[in-house]
């Protein structure tokens, strides 16, 4: 994970999250994750989509006026 994090210039926790969520193909051997160079290059080449939350439109409440 440390080498993957250094290659991607991210924190080790971020590299771990990318591996465990399946964004980077890896194999777990015992308690350690192993990432092949090919898998890392594949991840870098395809990139990752940036998920941005959709802007929520302000909700306007409708009030009923007494008649």
């Amino acid at each position: 994970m440390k080498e993957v994090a250094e290659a991607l210039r991210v924190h080790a926790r971020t590299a771990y999250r990318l591996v465990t969520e399946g964004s980077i193909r890896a194999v777990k051997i015992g308690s350690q994750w192993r990432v092949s160079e090919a898998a890392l290059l594949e991840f870098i080449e395809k990139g990752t989509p940036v998920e941005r939350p959709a802007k929520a439109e302000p909700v306007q409440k409708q009030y009923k006026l007494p008649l």
Side-chain angles (χ1 to χ4, degrees):
M1 287 288 110
K2 183 178 176 182
E3 292 174 358
V4 172
E6 288 174 1
L8 297 176
R9 295 182 183 172
V10 296
H11 195 274
R13 279 187 236 137
T14 303
Y16 179 78
R17 182 181 47 80
L18 290 169
V19 167
T20 56
E21 71 184 13
S23 295
I24 299 175
R25 290 184 298 119
V27 176
K28 190 170 187 178
I29 302 174
S31 63
Q32 297 182 349
W33 286 97
R34 301 292 180 179
V35 178
S36 69
E37 185 177 347
L40 186 58
L41 291 174
E42 177 186 331
F43 174 77
I44 292 170
E45 286 176 9
K46 78 174 181 181
T48 56
V50 176
E51 294 181 23
R52 295 184 180 162
K55 289 185 178 180
E57 294 183 25
V59 178
Q60 294 181 353
K61 294 185 179 182
Q62 292 184 352
Y63 296 101
K64 292 186 179 181
L65 297 175
L67 296 176

